[in-house]
Each structure stands twice: as structure tokens, then as C-alpha cells.
Amino acid sequence: MHDMGEAEWERLLDQLNSGDCTPFLGSGACVGTLPTGTALSRDMARRWDYPFADDHDLPRVTQFAVMRYGDSVYVKRRVCDELDAGGAPNFLDPLEPHALLASFPLPVYLTTNYDDFILRSLEAVGKRPNVAICPWNKGLAYAEDLFSSEAGWNPRPEAPLIYHLHGNLQDPASIVLAEDDYLEFLTNLAVDGVAGGQRMLPTSILAALTRRPLLFIGYSLQDWTFRVLFHGLLKAVPGINRRRHVSVQLAPSLASTRADVLEVQRQLARYYEDWRISIFWGTAEEFCRELRRRMGPVP
């Protein structure tokens, strides 16, 4: 069930080709290369003897591990080691999500993933990206040199800016992982917004969130992480819903009939209509295949 109509596809293609779009990447963009959040959570739950039934919930499982070991960075290093041991996608594959997005003239890429796949895909097509990590806690440094330079406050398609909202693998202490991390991230985001600060969301990132429509790839509308993140951004950055956004979403998994699944999809679509989000129901791979088809023959 791909609910996007012809007009929505026409609009999205024009926005991507003109650079008037901000990709927002989640873990589903890495399916097939890195373990899913559920698979990773259950694997770590077994290692850490997690005693509860919700072993699919990575923030809760890692919160348990933090309490068990008494050191959040130790726990984060274990998770980073697990992810770092994985492979990498083919960045020359025109249907790979990171590779396809890197082909467009976009100035800013936002991600909650810890990997460097979007960096490597941009480098593979000859671009010179800059990378920054959101300083969501006091222990993380604000990238002052970058954001005080033109490369940071006015990123360009040939030298785009990659902003890791939830940290990256190169600095395990930077990743948002346990429940306490998510709460701290949202609390500080709200405080930063109320205070009128630009520490967590510098000017160029605010512009990417408010002046351009967002293209979410790799999230689920039912996923707690996505809902909390987007609610937090809406409160901190009210202008985020002025444009029409697109989200690539897996159909809800229900032990029920197809009719029930379609009804849940309709309910979710109505709910997120208030957020001005158009939905493509399918995997990131299916979305990229359809987008590539609509782009026409490769020159």
C-alpha cells in the first residue's frame, strides 16, 4: 500500500532535484547491513541477562545495563563495538538509500543513526561533507569552529553538512541510547529552545528543519523513538510543520487480517496528517526503487 499520489511524487522529485529538501535518516535505512534495533536489543538483552519480557526495547535494555554496570559509557562502547563489527553497504549502488540520497544536491543531512554511511556515500560521489554531533549533554563540545565558518552556517551541496542528532560510533559517549539519554536529550532540547539558544540546533540546522520539507527514511510512526523525537522537535521548533513532509514507513505488523492492517494504516495517516506528513508505506529499499524509477533512465 503506497499511499503517495502522483502530485506528491512530483513535488518530492522537484524538491530533491532543486536541493529544497532535508533527509532525516533512521535505523531502517541500514536494514540488511546493520542489525535492526529489535535484533540488537534482543542480542544485548541475552548478554546482559535482561530479566523482563520487553527485550525488544533497546532504550530499556540499555538502561538496565547502565544500572547493572554503573557506567553508561561502558555500555555504549559494547553497543558501538557490536555495530562497528558490521559491514557497510555498496555506496555505488544507485538503489542503496544513502547512495541515492547522496546523488541529489542537498546541503544538509540529518540523522539519528550512529554510523558514518551517509558520510561515506557523499565522499563516494566526490563531495566534501562536514560532520557535527549535536551537543545534547554538557559533556559534548559544540562545534564552534565549524558553525562560525561559512561551511557550517551556509552549507552547500558540494560540501554538505551532516548532523548527528544522537551521536556517532566514533565517540560512544555521544550516543543517545538508554532511556535516561532520551529524557536528557528532550529536556535539553526544550530548554535550549525556550532560552533562544542555538547550541543543540545551530542556525543552519534550524533552517534545514523549518525552511525545507523533511524526508524521513528508516523510522516507524509507531516507534517510540520517532514519536518522542518529532514531538520534541515540534515543541522546540514550531516552524517545523510549515512545509509538507514525507515519511517512508513499514506497514504495521499485526497478527490479523489485511483489512485490519489497512485500517490501522488509515488511522495512522489521519493522526500524522496534523504533522503534515505524507506517507509512503513500504521499506526504504522499495521507496528507493520507486524513486529511482520515477527519476528516469540513468544518464
Side-chain angles (χ1 to χ4, degrees), residues 70-93:
D71 187 332
S72 65
V73 176
Y74 169 80
V75 172
K76 292 177 182 184
R77 285 189 186 280
R78 302 290 72 78
V79 172
C80 287
D81 288 344
E82 189 68 19
L83 292 173
D84 212 19
N90 178 6
F91 299 116
L92 299 178
D93 180 356

Tab-separated table of all heavy atoms in Angstrom, residues 70-93:
chain	number	residue	atom	x	y	z
A	70	GLY	N	26.814	0.294	36.204
A	70	GLY	CA	27.129	1.568	36.836
A	70	GLY	C	27.967	2.498	35.993
A	70	GLY	O	28.564	3.443	36.518
A	71	ASP	N	28.020	2.267	34.670
A	71	ASP	CA	28.869	3.092	33.794
A	71	ASP	C	28.227	3.120	32.405
A	71	ASP	O	28.292	2.139	31.661
A	71	ASP	CB	30.270	2.500	33.711
A	71	ASP	CG	31.254	3.392	32.961
A	71	ASP	OD1	30.803	4.155	32.096
A	71	ASP	OD2	32.463	3.302	33.230
A	72	SER	N	27.603	4.242	32.047
A	72	SER	CA	26.888	4.321	30.776
A	72	SER	C	27.827	4.240	29.571
A	72	SER	O	27.472	3.664	28.540
A	72	SER	CB	26.070	5.618	30.709
A	72	SER	OG	26.920	6.749	30.711
A	73	VAL	N	29.029	4.809	29.703
A	73	VAL	CA	29.959	4.790	28.570
A	73	VAL	C	30.424	3.367	28.287
A	73	VAL	O	30.570	2.965	27.124
A	73	VAL	CB	31.160	5.724	28.821
A	73	VAL	CG1	32.171	5.623	27.677
A	73	VAL	CG2	30.691	7.165	28.979
A	74	TYR	N	30.620	2.575	29.335
A	74	TYR	CA	30.987	1.168	29.145
A	74	TYR	C	29.913	0.451	28.338
A	74	TYR	O	30.197	-0.284	27.382
A	74	TYR	CB	31.169	0.470	30.491
A	74	TYR	CG	31.279	-1.035	30.368
A	74	TYR	CD1	32.474	-1.633	29.993
A	74	TYR	CD2	30.161	-1.850	30.611
A	74	TYR	CE1	32.561	-3.012	29.852
A	74	TYR	CE2	30.244	-3.226	30.473
A	74	TYR	CZ	31.448	-3.802	30.092
A	74	TYR	OH	31.532	-5.158	29.948
A	75	VAL	N	28.640	0.660	28.694
A	75	VAL	CA	27.526	0.020	27.995
A	75	VAL	C	27.467	0.501	26.545
A	75	VAL	O	27.283	-0.293	25.615
A	75	VAL	CB	26.203	0.321	28.722
A	75	VAL	CG1	25.004	-0.160	27.906
A	75	VAL	CG2	26.205	-0.322	30.108
A	76	LYS	N	27.648	1.786	26.329
A	76	LYS	CA	27.602	2.336	24.979
A	76	LYS	C	28.738	1.807	24.116
A	76	LYS	O	28.555	1.549	22.915
A	76	LYS	CB	27.635	3.868	25.040
A	76	LYS	CG	26.379	4.468	25.647
A	76	LYS	CD	26.462	5.976	25.763
A	76	LYS	CE	25.208	6.526	26.420
A	76	LYS	NZ	25.189	7.998	26.483
A	77	ARG	N	29.898	1.603	24.718
A	77	ARG	CA	31.019	1.038	23.959
A	77	ARG	C	30.701	-0.372	23.479
A	77	ARG	O	31.065	-0.765	22.365
A	77	ARG	CB	32.298	1.026	24.801
A	77	ARG	CG	32.947	2.377	24.962
A	77	ARG	CD	34.315	2.263	25.620
A	77	ARG	NE	34.870	3.570	25.895
A	77	ARG	CZ	35.469	4.342	24.991
A	77	ARG	NH1	35.595	3.905	23.744
A	77	ARG	NH2	35.948	5.511	25.321
A	78	ARG	N	30.020	-1.149	24.319
A	78	ARG	CA	29.662	-2.512	23.917
A	78	ARG	C	28.710	-2.493	22.720
A	78	ARG	O	28.840	-3.287	21.797
A	78	ARG	CB	29.029	-3.262	25.091
A	78	ARG	CG	29.879	-3.382	26.345
A	78	ARG	CD	31.088	-4.323	26.192
A	78	ARG	NE	32.156	-3.790	25.361
A	78	ARG	CZ	33.042	-2.870	25.757
A	78	ARG	NH1	32.961	-2.349	26.968
A	78	ARG	NH2	34.006	-2.469	24.945
A	79	VAL	N	27.741	-1.597	22.747
A	79	VAL	CA	26.802	-1.489	21.632
A	79	VAL	C	27.511	-0.976	20.381
A	79	VAL	O	27.296	-1.482	19.271
A	79	VAL	CB	25.623	-0.574	22.011
A	79	VAL	CG1	24.737	-0.298	20.795
A	79	VAL	CG2	24.793	-1.214	23.125
A	80	CYS	N	28.376	0.011	20.541
A	80	CYS	CA	29.126	0.541	19.396
A	80	CYS	C	30.029	-0.518	18.789
A	80	CYS	O	30.154	-0.616	17.559
A	80	CYS	CB	29.948	1.756	19.823
A	80	CYS	SG	28.971	3.251	20.122
A	81	ASP	N	30.660	-1.322	19.627
A	81	ASP	CA	31.514	-2.400	19.121
A	81	ASP	C	30.700	-3.372	18.273
A	81	ASP	O	31.167	-3.851	17.226
A	81	ASP	CB	32.168	-3.158	20.280
A	81	ASP	CG	33.253	-2.347	20.979
A	81	ASP	OD1	33.697	-1.340	20.387
A	81	ASP	OD2	33.637	-2.714	22.103
A	82	GLU	N	29.489	-3.672	18.731
A	82	GLU	CA	28.624	-4.595	18.003
A	82	GLU	C	28.246	-4.024	16.635
A	82	GLU	O	28.270	-4.725	15.628
A	82	GLU	CB	27.370	-4.874	18.830
A	82	GLU	CG	26.500	-5.981	18.297
A	82	GLU	CD	27.134	-7.357	18.404
A	82	GLU	OE1	28.084	-7.527	19.197
A	82	GLU	OE2	26.681	-8.257	17.670
A	83	LEU	N	27.904	-2.742	16.593
A	83	LEU	CA	27.529	-2.109	15.334
A	83	LEU	C	28.734	-1.907	14.424
A	83	LEU	O	28.639	-2.060	13.198
A	83	LEU	CB	26.852	-0.769	15.609
A	83	LEU	CG	25.483	-0.837	16.274
A	83	LEU	CD1	25.003	0.561	16.643
A	83	LEU	CD2	24.461	-1.512	15.366
A	84	ASP	N	29.875	-1.605	15.024
A	84	ASP	CA	31.082	-1.353	14.244
A	84	ASP	C	31.597	-2.619	13.580
A	84	ASP	O	32.324	-2.565	12.584
A	84	ASP	CB	32.165	-0.757	15.151
A	84	ASP	CG	33.070	0.207	14.406
A	84	ASP	OD1	32.652	0.685	13.330
A	84	ASP	OD2	34.175	0.470	14.885
A	85	ALA	N	31.228	-3.766	14.133
A	85	ALA	CA	31.683	-5.043	13.577
A	85	ALA	C	30.898	-5.423	12.321
A	85	ALA	O	31.261	-6.367	11.618
A	85	ALA	CB	31.544	-6.146	14.627
A	86	GLY	N	29.815	-4.711	12.062
A	86	GLY	CA	29.007	-4.997	10.886
A	86	GLY	C	29.687	-4.517	9.617
A	86	GLY	O	30.745	-3.881	9.636
A	87	GLY	N	29.091	-4.835	8.487
A	87	GLY	CA	29.656	-4.427	7.207
A	87	GLY	C	29.213	-3.034	6.824
A	87	GLY	O	28.776	-2.239	7.653
A	88	ALA	N	29.334	-2.746	5.542
A	88	ALA	CA	28.920	-1.451	5.006
A	88	ALA	C	28.181	-1.703	3.696
A	88	ALA	O	28.467	-2.672	2.992
A	88	ALA	CB	30.129	-0.548	4.780
A	89	PRO	N	27.236	-0.859	3.364
A	89	PRO	CA	26.516	-1.030	2.089
A	89	PRO	C	27.403	-0.682	0.903
A	89	PRO	O	28.488	-0.122	1.063
A	89	PRO	CB	25.344	-0.061	2.228
A	89	PRO	CG	25.804	0.976	3.194
A	89	PRO	CD	26.727	0.275	4.147
A	90	ASN	N	26.917	-1.010	-0.267
A	90	ASN	CA	27.607	-0.637	-1.506
A	90	ASN	C	27.220	0.793	-1.855
A	90	ASN	O	26.112	1.054	-2.322
A	90	ASN	CB	27.211	-1.599	-2.623
A	90	ASN	CG	27.856	-1.227	-3.953
A	90	ASN	OD1	28.688	-0.319	-4.027
A	90	ASN	ND2	27.481	-1.922	-5.009
A	91	PHE	N	28.143	1.717	-1.644
A	91	PHE	CA	27.830	3.132	-1.843
A	91	PHE	C	27.759	3.530	-3.314
A	91	PHE	O	27.460	4.678	-3.634
A	91	PHE	CB	28.853	4.002	-1.109
A	91	PHE	CG	28.874	3.767	0.368
A	91	PHE	CD1	29.992	3.248	0.996
A	91	PHE	CD2	27.756	4.039	1.141
A	91	PHE	CE1	30.013	3.016	2.362
A	91	PHE	CE2	27.757	3.811	2.503
A	91	PHE	CZ	28.895	3.298	3.113
A	92	LEU	N	28.036	2.584	-4.209
A	92	LEU	CA	27.905	2.845	-5.638
A	92	LEU	C	26.606	2.269	-6.198
A	92	LEU	O	26.317	2.418	-7.385
A	92	LEU	CB	29.109	2.268	-6.392
A	92	LEU	CG	30.461	2.858	-5.993
A	92	LEU	CD1	31.584	2.180	-6.779
A	92	LEU	CD2	30.501	4.364	-6.205
A	93	ASP	N	25.829	1.608	-5.350
A	93	ASP	CA	24.560	1.040	-5.756
A	93	ASP	C	23.513	2.145	-5.826
A	93	ASP	O	23.191	2.761	-4.803
A	93	ASP	CB	24.126	-0.037	-4.759
A	93	ASP	CG	22.800	-0.679	-5.109
A	93	ASP	OD1	22.161	-0.243	-6.087
A	93	ASP	OD2	22.385	-1.612	-4.397
